[in-house]
């Protein structure tokens, strides 16, 4: 089995790129979060008579990121299309801006395209109030609920994704996307986002993994208000297992962390990470029924700010839902309206 290998020791500085394969450039854009940058990709493309570039993911839609793109466009133009792995703002924030600038199409999956519009419109349950209602039911303390409401009262997604295209080219599971001289196969994953797109090129032995298979951290997998009874962690674990179908030495291009080889090893590491969390939860639930809010300290052994608590709460619920649907935990709503879980 191929061990984990990181061919490039340093992330390219903002505004610069590193060639990681024939016609494949790695770039990074800053983020205003603890996770302080995202990896993006430029693929050499030549549909028609004029050579150009395909952009894969775009960064958040702020002036700093767009200024860095302007610098890159001095070297990498024209853009022939924009491909999104998923709708999250660090991926989708400049999709419309780049598409309009070059008069090109957005390519993505239907689930990601429609979700971006629903979140921008605060429709279909994508509101802060709806999320906080789910968190309150799952035991988030009142003071944390209040502080989260104050911070997330406005539509933050719109601030980071100021515009989004009104049409797109749909990609579905198994589609072959021809980019330049190479074919890239669409692999659709679930759990982190509705229909997360990864692209695998057999000829180059490269997979653009987005957020599905990260090199050093675990992907956020959360229960949200749009699907409050969902089991996203099961979907995620089933999805990453499919990376075992790729060659062990495939070069993985993740959205966070450094490119790496050793996908099979990394999948097993992530499976073991979640198995350990399940074991800790089952042990904790043997003593007395507990809610997701009461278990945050067990799952996240560090201080959490409001932004981090938002994602941690969704993850805690996801872990408990996994145990419940797997028959390894019982649950019931108490007189206080809070859902609590106990070991089966």
């Amino acid at each position: 089995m191929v061990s984990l290998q990181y061919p490039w020791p340093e992330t390219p500085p903002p505004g610069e790129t590193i060639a990681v394969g024939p016609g494949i450039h790695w770039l990074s854009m800053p983020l205003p979060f603890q996770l302080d940058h995202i990896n993006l990709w430029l693929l050499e493309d030549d549909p028609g008579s004029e050579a150009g570039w395909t952009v894969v993911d775009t960064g958040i839609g702020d002036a700093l990121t767009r200024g860095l793109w302007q610098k890159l466009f001095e070297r990498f133009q024209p853009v022939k299309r924009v491909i999104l792995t998923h709708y999250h703002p660090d991926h989708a924030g400049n999709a419309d801006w780049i598409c309009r600038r070059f008069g090109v199409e957005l390519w993505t999956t239907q689930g990601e395209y429609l979700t971006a519009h629903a979140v921008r419109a605060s429709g279909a349950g994508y509101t802060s109030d709806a999320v906080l209602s789910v968190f309150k039911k799952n035991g988030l303390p009142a003071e944390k609920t209040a502080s989260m409401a104050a911070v997330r009262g406005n539509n933050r997604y719109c601030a980071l994704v100021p515009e989004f295209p009104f049409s797109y080219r749909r990609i579905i599971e198994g589609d072959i996307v021809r980019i330049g001289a190479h074919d890239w196969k669409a692999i659709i994953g679930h759990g982190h986002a509705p229909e997360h797109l990864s692209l695998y090129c057999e000829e180059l032995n490269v997979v653009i993994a987005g957020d599905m298979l990260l090199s050093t951290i675990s992907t956020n997998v959360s229960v949200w208000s749009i699907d409050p009874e969902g089991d996203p962690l099961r979907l995620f674990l089933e999805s990453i297992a499919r990376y075992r179908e790729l060659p062990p030495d495939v070069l993985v291009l993740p959205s966070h962390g450094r490119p790496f080889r050793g996908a099979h090893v990394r999948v097993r590491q992530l499976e073991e990470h979640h198995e350990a969390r399940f074991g800790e939860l089952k042990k904790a639930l043997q003593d007395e029924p507990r809610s997701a809010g009461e278990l945050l300290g067990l799952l996240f052994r560090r201080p959490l700010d409001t932004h981090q608590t938002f994602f941690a709460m969704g993850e805690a619920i996801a872990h408990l839902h996994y145990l419940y649907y797997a028959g390894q935990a019982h649950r019931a709503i108490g007189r206080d309206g809070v859902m609590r879980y106990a070991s089966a």
Side-chain angles (χ1 to χ4, degrees):
M1 182 176 290
V2 176
S3 62
L4 280 173
Q5 303 167 11
Y6 300 89
W8 294 274
E10 300 293 337
T11 300
E16 301 181 20
T17 71
I18 294 174
V20 295
I24 305 174
H25 287 257
W26 170 26
L27 59 138
S28 72
M29 291 291 179
L31 297 174
F33 316 121
Q34 184 178 34
L35 195 62
D36 63 4
H37 73 277
I38 181 174
N39 300 325
L40 312 174
W41 315 98
L42 284 162
L43 308 181
E44 194 169 5
D45 202 348
D46 59 353
S49 59
E50 185 181 17
W53 298 88
T54 284
V55 172
V56 181
D57 289 337
T58 68
I60 61 171
D62 64 356
L64 173 60
T65 304
R66 292 182 179 185
L68 291 167
W69 271 120
Q70 297 278 22
K71 179 181 177 182
L72 287 162
F73 290 149
E74 295 174 5
R75 297 169 50 205
F76 299 97
Q77 66 166 306
V79 170
K80 292 293 184 175
R81 72 188 122 188
V82 175
I83 297 177
L84 287 188
T85 59
H86 60 297
Y87 80 95
H88 291 163
D90 49 336
H91 300 259
N94 294 296
D96 185 73
W97 178 73
I98 296 174
C99 286
R100 285 188 292 106
R101 177 187 174 102
F102 290 97
V104 299
E105 291 179 312
L106 170 70
W107 295 49
T108 192
T109 63
Q110 187 172 74
E112 302 307 315
Y113 177 78
L114 295 178
T115 300
H117 277 294
V119 178
R120 291 195 78 256
S122 295
Y126 285 107
T127 66
S128 293
D129 285 347
V131 173
L132 293 178
S133 176
V134 172
F135 287 178
K136 182 178 178 180
K137 178 183 175 181
N138 281 275
L140 185 67
E143 65 276 10
K144 289 186 179 293
T145 303
S147 63
M148 199 175 290
V151 171
R152 306 190 70 91
N154 297 320
N155 190 328
R156 182 151 172 75
Y157 188 86
C158 278
L160 301 177
V161 187
E163 319 91 4
F164 198 70
F166 288 125
S167 65
Y168 76 114
R169 180 78 70 90
R170 185 181 181 184
I171 300 175
I172 64 175
E173 171 69 40
D175 273 357
I176 301 298
V177 181
R178 184 74 174 178
I179 303 175
H182 305 290
D183 289 337
W184 296 76
K185 183 179 180 180
I187 302 171
I188 308 304
H190 308 280
H192 177 66
E195 290 183 330
H196 184 292
L197 172 66
S198 297
L199 291 169
Y200 169 59
C201 180
E202 181 177 9
E203 183 179 5
L204 298 176
N205 197 27
V206 173
V207 61
I208 298 174
D211 281 353
M212 289 301 295
L213 192 62
L214 303 180
S215 59
T216 56
I217 61 174
S218 60
T219 301
N220 176 264
V221 180
S222 291
V223 169
W224 299 121
S225 53
I226 189 67
D227 186 17
E229 294 299 325
D231 189 6
L233 196 46
R234 175 183 62 82
L235 298 177
F236 175 76
L237 291 170
E238 291 174 354
S239 295
I240 64 170
R242 295 184 59 198
Y243 282 86
R244 291 194 176 94
E245 301 169 10
L246 305 183
D249 64 343
V250 65
L251 178 62
V252 181
L253 305 182
S255 293
H256 305 284
R258 291 174 289 155
F260 67 97
R261 299 188 190 277
H264 297 192
V265 174
R266 186 63 184 136
V267 168
R268 186 57 196 149
Q269 286 181 347
L270 290 168
E271 290 170 340
E272 290 173 348
H273 165 79
H274 288 292
E275 287 167 2
R277 295 294 175 270
F278 295 143
E280 291 169 346
L281 283 172
K282 287 191 289 185
K283 184 177 180 180
L285 296 176
Q286 289 175 349
D287 300 329
E288 61 178 336
R290 299 175 73 180
S291 70
E294 292 165 338
L295 290 163
L296 284 181
L298 174 70
L299 291 172
F300 302 92
R301 300 176 182 86
R302 64 184 187 276
L304 299 172
D305 61 23
T306 299
H307 177 77
Q308 293 162 347
T309 301
F310 183 83
F311 292 101
M313 191 67 188
E315 272 204 60
I317 301 169
H319 279 80
L320 290 168
H321 277 198
Y322 181 96
L323 293 176
Y324 171 72
Y325 288 117
Q328 299 178 45
H330 301 300
R331 68 180 187 179
I333 296 179
R335 293 182 179 179
D336 57 358
V338 173
M339 181 74 75
R340 292 184 174 84
Y341 293 75
S343 288

